[in-house]
């Protein structure tokens, strides 16, 4: 099977949760020093594991998530005139790929720009990326909280979110974000959430909120952050046409 060619990125998108790979790198050095001092070859086993985890993490954040989202967005078969929201857009990894698939439509990103969640995170960095990718005319950036979205009911054709909802502390806050996503979606609109935690709860909540075609699946090795809890899952749903 030939791999899909993802268009070259012109922006700079930072590292997700930058303290995590930094911690793994420090651990690797510490264990390496211990291995050299002790001279026991067995100590090189954890080093190999740590390096593998670090490799998967860096691949996911620097390349894997772009390849996976490019496929997911293609599967939406957009017309180009949609209004699309990215909740927790960060520096625009997904938001700007969405914008590249629009003609007369608009891609809106909302974020609190927390640099603990993504290195170099700021509205200005995302705006610079939008210019670098040639889509600034199709992108709106909003500073706001996913748990209280600054948008009217039924105002988006598609809502996406990538690796962002798990950053909200507490299940009540995460539930609020899901409820907000459904509120701003128009009847018939589609929702796509990729995340590493609480996806089973999102799935159950969406069904409870009356969403149809609710589904959840793994996104494969390209979107795996290392370790037993590192798999990213996708939750998809459609807002029923009969609700308002
Ligand atoms: C790991 S980054 C992912 C960014 C982007 N979606 C991507 O895939 O590159 C998580 C993002 O969620 C944002 N975030 C965290 N809590 C938020 C909240 N309550 N409301 C809006 N954005 C939030 C952070 O500022 C950060 O930009």
């Amino acid at each position: 099977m030939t791999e899909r060619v993802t268009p070259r990125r012109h922006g700079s998108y930072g590292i997700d949760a930058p303290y995590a790979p930094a911690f793994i790198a420090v651990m690797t050095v510490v264990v390496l020093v211990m291995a050299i001092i002790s001279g026991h070859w067995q100590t090189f086993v954890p080093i190999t594991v740590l390096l593998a985890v670090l490799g998967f993490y860096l691949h996911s954040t620097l390349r894997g998530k772009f390849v996976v989202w490019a496929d997911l967005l293609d599967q939406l078969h957009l017309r180009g005139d949609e209004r699309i929201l990215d909740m927790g857009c960060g520096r625009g990894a997904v938001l700007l790929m969405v914008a590249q698939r629009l003609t007369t439509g608009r891609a809106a990103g909302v974020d609190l720009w927390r640099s603990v969640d993504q290195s170099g995170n700021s509205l200005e960095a995302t705006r610079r990326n939008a210019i670098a990718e040639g889509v600034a005319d199709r992108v709106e950036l909003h500073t706001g909280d996913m748990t209280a979205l600054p948008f009217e009911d039924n105002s988006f054709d598609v809502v996406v979110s990538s690796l962002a909802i798990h950053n909200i502390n507490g299940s009540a806050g995460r539930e609020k974000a899901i409820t907000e996503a459904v509120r701003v979606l128009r009847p018939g609109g589609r929702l796509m959430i990729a995340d590493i935690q609480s996806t089973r709860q999102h799935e159950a909540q969406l069904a409870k909120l009356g969403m149809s075609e609710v589904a959840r699946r793994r996104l494969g090795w390209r979107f795996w952050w290392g370790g037993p809890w590192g798999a990213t899952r996708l939750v998809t749903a459609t807002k029923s046409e009969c609700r308002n």
Side-chain angles (χ1 to χ4, degrees), residues 83-142:
R83 187 162 154 72
I84 301 183
L85 172 66
D86 183 356
M87 299 199 317
C89 63
R91 293 172 65 165
V94 178
L95 176 73
L96 304 184
M97 284 199 285
V98 166
Q100 283 167 337
R101 287 160 174 75
L102 298 177
T103 49
T104 56
R106 289 288 171 275
V110 65
D111 205 294
L112 292 175
W113 320 108
R114 291 161 35 113
S115 50
V116 68
D117 296 335
Q118 190 167 70
S119 61
N121 204 1
S122 70
L123 187 146
E124 291 69 34
T126 312
R127 200 188 304 286
R128 278 197 300 276
N129 281 344
I131 294 167
E133 302 293 357
V135 294
D137 58 332
R138 276 160 271 167
V139 170
E140 294 165 19
L141 300 177
H142 301 262

Side-chain angles (χ1 to χ4, degrees), residues 55-89:
F56 274 107
Y57 193 106
L58 292 176
H59 172 78
S60 290
T61 195
L62 296 172
R63 176 159 170 78
K65 71 176 182 183
F66 294 91
V67 176
V68 172
W69 268 106
D71 269 346
L72 294 175
L73 295 177
D74 285 349
Q75 286 163 27
L76 285 172
H77 299 294
L78 297 172
R79 292 182 309 269
D81 62 353
E82 292 88 349
R83 187 162 154 72
I84 301 183
L85 172 66
D86 183 356
M87 299 199 317
C89 63

